[in-house]
Every structure is written in structure tokens, then in C-alpha cells.
Amino acid sequence: MDGEEFRKIGHQLIDDISNFIDSIDQKPVTPNESPTHLQALLGNVSLPENGKPVTDLISKTTDLLFNHSLLNGHPKFLGYITSSAAPIGALADLLAASVNPNVGAHILSPIATEIEKQTIQWLSEFIGVSSDYGGLLVSGGNMANFTAFLAARTAKTPKSIKEDGIQNTSKKLTVYCSKTTHTWIEKAVILFGLGTNAIRWIPTDAFNKMDTTILETTIKDDVEHNCIPLIVVGTAGDVSTGVVDDLSKIAAICKKYDIWFHIDGAYGAPAAIIPKYDHLFDGIKEADSIALDPHKWLYSPLEAGCTLVKNPQNLIDTYSSHPEYYNFNNSEDQLTQNFYEYGLQNSRGFRALKVWLSLQQVGRSGYQKLISEDIALSETLYDLAKKHPELEAVSQNLSITTFRYIPLTHSNNNEALNKLNEEILNEIHTGGKAFLSNAFVNDHYCLRACIVNFRTSKKDIHEIIDIVIEAGRSAYA
Ligand SMILES: Cc1ncc(COP(=O)(O)O)c(C=O)c1O
């Protein structure tokens, strides 16, 4: 494709995307079509033998994506934790893909590397930790947590572990997190050779925070039984209810027992930018590492996660290698940084660009406003549920509200209520008017709304209550 053809097709595509952005609220959140239906749309054909004209391909694909996708940019998409993507992110991805820097090495991506470094600095400032933290952009929360986990393993075990692996450590490595921790932790212990039995699932207290008294007694007990306590994971915004653990207490325990303190702030860490909520994050400055996800509450398009590490040398100690076929360290400049030495990836795309541009487009005050608005909407949802005779408001933290439908004439049988609310959620998913997800809170199956969506308004929240009531009455009828 030459520049002229690209321009023509590109202009049309930009027009179509602009219309999509302006009309997203009028579309169903999801068309709810079966895999069979979707496969029929694509046609059961083999790998094309011959090429096709780009105009046709792009126009057909635009139609496929606009009309057969779940739209997480819809104002009534409040399920799971995927943000409405800021349009500047789409422009950034187009620009990044067009220049296509390989942000694995400085020499291959001179300005892109510097932009990623600045993005890391700004993200550190965003969540209120020292701008000396180092790190990198990764694909999402799982990868951000994995990247930190392996750095913790290198830092807290004998130096020989890199050569000998963990089978030669005479002591068992143990990991501490609350039972609300996201499932990445199970993948991490499998991936990095500790096994799931290494996880000490610490119970939560009445506020759903990690019980730090039990944390400490569990650590002591493990030390007495010849274990090496490796890492404590504090959660800053748990995936189900948005609760932030007592980070400063966890930090103190980690210091006392010389354990790596990691914070999974994939969802909630950005709320630390709001002065009214920053007390929730006391202790964050003590973290050895932090995971946060721009594709959650910074409104970046997928994929954008980030690992921040207090001492960036821990990343280099873990990930750096110098094969003979790399000629990457020929600069005199001490500031030259090769991102392949900071994480698991080698060739790396320019994910940082969309985050870097968003941070400038919106600025600190803009993010304070947007994130505060999401929290206020979540509080409104909670209040409306509390007032409604057929709803029970269950929890509200950061921008996550959980609630459930309870019919007026119901006998309060929990099992039946759980089943009913599950049916309601399924009905909402098929209806396409809104999208919620679920959470279990004290054995109650709840509907869960997580608002990381700058398009959601108060009107949407009121309408979502009506949608839930309608689905509830229909499921109970
Ligand atoms: C607290 C927390 N950690 C980690 C993750 C995983 O993030 P990702 O899906 O981007 O890998 C999530 C996802 O919702 C989360 O809420």
C-alpha cells in the first residue's frame, strides 16, 4: 500500500470510527450472538490463496467489529474491569504501529524508549510513590504481577537460584496474600516453580482486608518450620469488592521479617491520586513493587499494564542477559536503557505511547475529576440499591458496588437467592442493555458494577437499576 492508498482508506476508516464513537451509546452493549452464528459470518473457508483489495477488507472488517462486538466503551458496560478506551489511545496505537519501534532496546527505539521511561516516571508520580521507581509497560495486570513476582524471587533467595533453580533451595519458599487476591497468584506460583501449596491464603477481617495479625503469626510459624517467606501481596482494590488492604501494616510486617512487599494495584492504585482517598494507600511508598493497569482505570485501550519496582536493579538482576548477537550497549551515555533487560519480553511494542499521551491530554487534575466521578457514580448506585425495596446494597469501595435482587415475597433462602441473582445476571447479559458481572460476598451471589468508564452518567445508573429490577421480576415470575 502506498501513501496515497493508505490516506484514502485511512480517511474512510477514521470517519467510520468517529461515527462509532459518537453513536456507541445507541448500540446494544453486546449483540449476544452465538459462536455458530459468528463462525457463519466469517464463513468456513481455508487460508486465502490470493490477496484481496484492502478497501474491501477494511470496510467488511469495520462492519464485523462495530456490529458483532461487546462494546466495553458503552456507558452501561460496568462488568469486570476493562475501561472505556479513550479515543486518543486509538490514535496512539495507530501511530505506534505505523512507526513500529521495537522497545526492547534503546538503539532500536530511541525516542520510544525515552517516552516509556517518562511514562514510568509519571505513573509513579500518579500513584504517589517516588519517581525513582523503575519499571516497564506490559500487557496487563497478570503480566505486571508476574514480572514483579520473579524479581522478588531473585531478590529474596540465595544468588545461586538463577543457576540451580528452586529445587536446590533447602528451604520451602512461601507466599502470603489474602483470599481476595486475583487468580494471577496461582499462575505465578505455578510459572515460577513454587507450586500452589506455597500460597498461604490469609483470611480477611470484617472489612474484607487481609487480617494482618494472622499474616504475622503465619509468617512466624513458617520461619520456625524452615521456610523462606518470599513475598506478601497486598491488594489495592480487590477484584470483587474494591477493598484496599492495610498497606502500611503489611509494609511494617514485611520490613520486620525481610520479605518482599508487593502491591497488586492493577485496578485501584490510580485512586491514590485523589487527595480524599490517598489515606487508603498509606504504605504504598514502602512497596518493593507495584502492579497497575492503565487499561483499567486510566482509560487506555487494551493492552497496557505496568510494573513499578522501588529498586530497578532488581529487575535487571532478574531479567538481564547479554547474548553475543546483541550490540546494544555501545553508547557512552549512562542513561541508556534497554527494556528487554527489565522484563519477560524481548521484542516489545510501543504500549507506552497511548498511556503517555493520555496522561498529557487529561493531566493530574483531569484524572482526579474522572476517577472521582466514577467513585461518585458507584456511590449513587449503592444508595439507589439501598433505597429500593427489591434490592439489597451489599458493598461499596472505590468504584465497585455489589448488590442483589431480593423479591418482596421471598423466603430468604440464600441458595435460592444466589440462583436467582445468577439468572438475573445471565438475563442482563443476553438483553444487551447493560453489562454487569458478579461477586461472592459472604456467600451471597451479588451483582457487581465496576465503573471505570468516563462515558457513564447518573442517568445510566438510574436506568441500570430499572434494568435489574425488570430482569429480577422476570426471572422470579
Ligand atoms: C486486582 C487485579 N489484579 C490483576 C488483574 C488481572 O489483570 P489483567 O486482566 O489485565 O491481566 C485484575 C483484573 O481484573 C485485577 O482486578
Side-chain angles (χ1 to χ4, degrees), residues 204-318:
T204 46
D205 62 16
F207 304 100
N208 221 20
K209 291 173 192 257
M210 185 195 287
D211 186 322
T212 46
T213 310
I214 301 181
L215 171 66
E216 185 160 6
T217 47
T218 312
I219 292 170
K220 270 193 199 154
D221 192 52
D222 279 337
V223 172
E224 278 166 20
H225 288 90
N226 211 26
C227 295
I228 302 178
L230 182 71
I231 182 171
V232 181
V233 179
T235 299
D238 92 81
V239 60
S240 291
T241 63
V243 166
V244 180
D245 280 333
D246 191 332
L247 304 177
S248 54
K249 272 201 187 147
I250 298 175
I253 292 170
C254 286
K255 203 166 188 180
K256 186 166 163 191
Y257 294 91
D258 189 25
I259 305 174
W260 184 278
F261 175 30
H262 174 69
I263 296 178
D264 178 7
Y267 154 58
I273 201 171
I274 303 171
K276 188 173 155 196
Y277 297 101
D278 64 0
H279 66 279
L280 290 176
F281 299 87
D282 282 352
I284 197 169
K285 289 186 170 76
E286 309 301 320
D288 293 299
S289 57
I290 302 164
L292 77 142
D293 267 5
H295 71 206
K296 292 189 167 60
W297 220 351
L298 298 185
Y299 317 109
S300 281
L302 294 160
E303 302 169 341
C306 172
T307 307
L308 297 175
V309 174
K310 185 174 229 151
N311 178 2
Q313 187 59 39
N314 290 133
L315 291 175
I316 295 174
D317 290 347
T318 307

Side-chain angles (χ1 to χ4, degrees), residues 4-5 31 47 56 58 65 76 109 117 125-126 159 166 244 270 289 295 297 305 327-328 330 375 401 412:
E4 190 44 45
E5 191 183 2
L47 174 71
D56 276 10
I58 294 290
L65 289 184
K76 289 195 181 69
S109 56
K117 281 163 67 180
E125 291 171 11
F126 194 114
K159 284 258 171 300
I166 62 164
V244 180
S289 57
H295 71 206
W297 220 351
N327 183 26
F328 290 160
N330 51 0
I375 295 174
T401 299
N412 243 351

Side-chain angles (χ1 to χ4, degrees), residues 4-44:
E4 190 44 45
E5 191 183 2
F6 188 89
R7 181 175 297 113
K8 199 163 149 258
I9 298 168
H11 281 172
Q12 182 59 51
L13 179 60
I14 294 288
D15 280 348
D16 292 344
I17 294 173
S18 309
N19 293 336
F20 167 73
I21 289 171
D22 281 346
S23 62
I24 197 165
D25 57 337
Q26 283 137 49
K27 290 176 171 290
V29 182
T30 170
N32 187 40
E33 295 160 319
S34 70
T36 314
H37 176 79
L38 295 168
Q39 283 157 20
L41 285 178
L42 299 185
N44 186 13

Side-chain angles (χ1 to χ4, degrees), residues 346-361:
N346 191 55
S347 294
R348 303 174 68 248
F350 193 12
R351 291 194 181 96
L353 186 62
K354 56 194 167 195
V355 182
W356 186 73
L357 284 172
S358 261
L359 291 171
Q360 293 176 81
Q361 184 203 4

